[in-house]
Amino acid sequence: MRQILTFAAVGVVNTATYYCLYLLFLSGLPYLAAHILAFTLAMVGSFFLNARFTYRTPPTWRKFLLFPLTNVTNFVITTAGVYLIVDVLHAGNRFAPLVASAAAIPVTFVVSRWVMLPKSIA
């Protein structure tokens, strides 16, 4: 239970970081480029926060290199969601990433736990 709550708290920090970076990059980049760059930078921060606080495991190069796998599903869902909200539904690009990211959270937790604690069952 502690891991899930800490994962959620790290997720809030990660989402806030991502969103601030997205808005910053949006001022000079197209929304998809802003999304991809912000997502990548936030993912690096997420790795270190999850290693330290959620899973209490030392960060290693192996885990760091595998960690993006934890976000592949998240990335696909959020990118498709942002595209759907902005280009298909014409709902605007400011809040689209926040709405689109909610569906990927459970899958990200399971894969993240598998990468960070390979001997545990998620």
Side-chain angles (χ1 to χ4, degrees):
M1 186 58 145
R2 181 201 62 79
Q3 280 183 347
I4 293 171
L5 293 174
T6 307
F7 184 80
V10 168
V12 168
V13 170
N14 186 52
T15 301
T17 301
Y18 158 78
Y19 191 59
C20 288
L21 289 171
Y22 173 76
L23 291 177
L24 177 70
F25 297 146
L26 192 59
S27 65
L29 296 171
Y31 76 90
L32 278 178
H35 165 68
I36 291 167
L37 186 56
F39 190 93
T40 301
L41 292 173
M43 185 172 51
V44 171
S46 178
F47 167 76
F48 288 105
L49 290 174
N50 276 302
R52 172 71 174 100
F53 297 108
T54 304
Y55 302 111
R56 297 180 181 177
T57 184
T60 65
W61 279 109
R62 179 190 174 278
K63 292 174 190 173
F64 182 76
L65 294 173
L66 287 174
F67 193 74
L69 294 176
T70 68
N71 288 290
V72 168
T73 301
N74 185 321
F75 181 78
V76 169
I77 291 170
T78 57
T79 302
V82 167
Y83 173 79
L84 177 71
I85 291 166
V86 174
D87 282 347
V88 176
L89 301 176
H90 305 290
N93 60 17
R94 286 226 174 278
F95 296 105
L98 298 176
V99 174
S101 66
I105 292 169
V107 175
T108 304
F109 175 75
V110 170
V111 178
S112 173
R113 184 176 164 97
W114 174 76
V115 167
M116 300 301 267
L117 303 172
K119 294 181 180 168
S120 71
I121 298 174

